[in-house]
Amino acid sequence: MAKKENCDDTKCSSCKLDCDSRKASFKAEENALSNVKKVIAVVSGKGGVGKSMVTSMLALDAMKRGYETAILDADLTGPSIPQAFGVHGRAQTCEGGLLPAVSQQGVKMISINLLLEDEKSPVVWRGPMIGNAVKQFWTDVCWGNVDYMFVDMPPGTGDVALTVFQSLPVDGIVIVTSPQELVSMIVAKAVNMAKMMNIPILGIVENMAYLECPDCKKQIEIFGKSHLEETAKEFGLKILGRLPIDPRVAAAVDEGKVALIDGHWDSAIGDALFE
């Protein structure tokens, strides 16, 4: 809807008209020292499906393809990105704001853990404070040149998801799921929120899809038969790939060596996403 006649742009927050000016008003200003070209949010309808691992691997995959990459860790109550990359300590400041931390591989990142005096301290904040902090990760961090920024979202469709989708120029989302019976309902929530926010869904990744026997190489579906094909067809989603259960992955993340995971990531996921 175009701008209404006699519209007062200063009152967009309380206006009930669904016009272009009101929609644009929600977008937060990018930091003056940032030039982020593409923003991709990695989401899941529930926790514990390996969303942060997928986010980390997507960023590393993009970097290996020659892109400048960054991760905005929007999961303030369960941040794990710095730990996965072995990044610790406090974020530094510059004249224009905060400087993102940089992993040994060159991935830029910001996370609440990089702002706390003790990274083990819990973040016991109400929703509005959390949402405002996530927005400041966009407005107050000097990201520099970034080709792809991946936003590691908290599980579900709460305050943070709304803040990210309304405040950041999200170009698309990747849904991460696991092969469990409730998968269709969980994916439906993520799909419906993306539609409400008018954000394209780039595809779906099934994590913990199977366990490969180290001896016979047979794929064992520990969580039952995968419903990925049916779910993707139901919602018209592109399947980016399936990832196995691998104990080495958990160990690598715990040791801050997610970049050293060998043979777990399916490069076809990156092929499908970046094409």
Side-chain angles (χ1 to χ4, degrees):
M1 181 182 293
K3 181 177 177 179
K4 290 288 186 178
E5 188 177 354
N6 300 323
C7 176
D8 184 353
D9 290 338
T10 64
K11 298 180 179 179
C12 284
S13 61
S14 60
C15 178
K16 296 183 179 180
L17 296 175
D18 189 25
C19 66
D20 293 338
S21 296
R22 182 171 182 270
K23 291 177 180 177
S25 70
F26 285 110
K27 296 299 179 187
E29 286 290 332
E30 185 179 37
N31 185 278
L33 298 179
S34 298
N35 180 27
V36 181
K37 298 180 178 65
K38 295 290 184 182
V39 179
I40 297 176
V42 182
V43 308
S44 64
K46 64 185 291 293
V49 298
K51 172 180 45 57
S52 296
M53 187 275 294
V54 171
T55 302
S56 301
M57 298 308 294
L58 282 172
L60 288 166
D61 192 342
M63 188 199 65
K64 291 176 182 178
R65 295 169 191 264
Y67 298 114
E68 291 287 336
T69 65
I71 299 177
L72 190 158
D73 189 352
D75 192 352
L76 267 67
T77 58
S80 57
I81 293 298
Q83 170 62 36
F85 284 90
V87 175
H88 303 282
R90 302 288 295 276
Q92 302 299 307
T93 60
C94 65
E95 187 175 340
L98 281 171
L99 289 171
V102 183
S103 74
Q104 289 184 349
Q105 299 74 32
V107 178
K108 300 176 183 179
M109 64 187 70
I110 196 68
S111 170
I112 194 65
N113 269 10
L114 301 174
L115 303 179
L116 300 174
E117 289 188 13
D118 181 359
E119 64 181 24
K120 296 180 181 179
S121 297
V123 176
V124 188
W125 296 350
R126 294 192 182 277
M129 289 183 64
I130 293 177
N132 192 52
V134 170
K135 189 185 296 186
Q136 287 182 293
F137 284 170
W138 176 256
T139 60
D140 295 2
V141 176
C142 309
W143 289 103
N145 290 318
V146 173
D147 295 311
Y148 283 96
M149 173 181 284
F150 297 92
V151 183
D152 185 22
M153 301 283 284
T157 55
D159 287 344
V160 172
L162 189 60
T163 297
V164 170
F165 292 156
Q166 287 187 332
S167 303
L168 274 61
V170 179
D171 295 283
I173 70 171
V174 172
I175 298 175
V176 181
T177 186
S178 59
Q180 298 175 0
E181 288 187 12
L182 293 176
V183 65
S184 180
M185 182 186 71
I186 292 166
V187 171
K189 292 179 182 294
V191 168
N192 290 332
M193 184 166 195
K195 289 181 178 178
M196 288 174 61
M197 298 291 104
N198 196 29
I199 297 175
I201 300 173
L202 304 177
I204 185 170
V205 175
E206 185 179 63
N207 192 33
M208 299 185 288
Y210 57 88
L211 175 68
E212 185 178 274
C213 175
D215 296 322
C216 67
K217 304 301 179 183
K218 179 181 179 181
Q219 294 183 0
I220 305 168
E221 296 178 321
I222 291 181
F223 294 112
K225 186 180 185 322
S226 171
H227 300 283
L228 183 62
E229 296 283 350
E230 299 94 312
T231 302
K233 184 177 180 180
E234 179 182 356
F235 298 107
L237 302 178
K238 180 177 183 178
I239 297 175
L240 298 177
R242 302 174 73 226
L243 296 172
I245 298 172
D246 190 339
R248 295 174 299 173
V249 173
V253 171
D254 288 343
E255 296 171 6
K257 299 178 180 178
V258 68
L260 301 182
I261 295 174
D262 185 32
H264 176 78
W265 180 251
D266 185 356
S267 61
I269 295 175
D271 294 340
L273 182 64
F274 298 118
E275 66 181 2

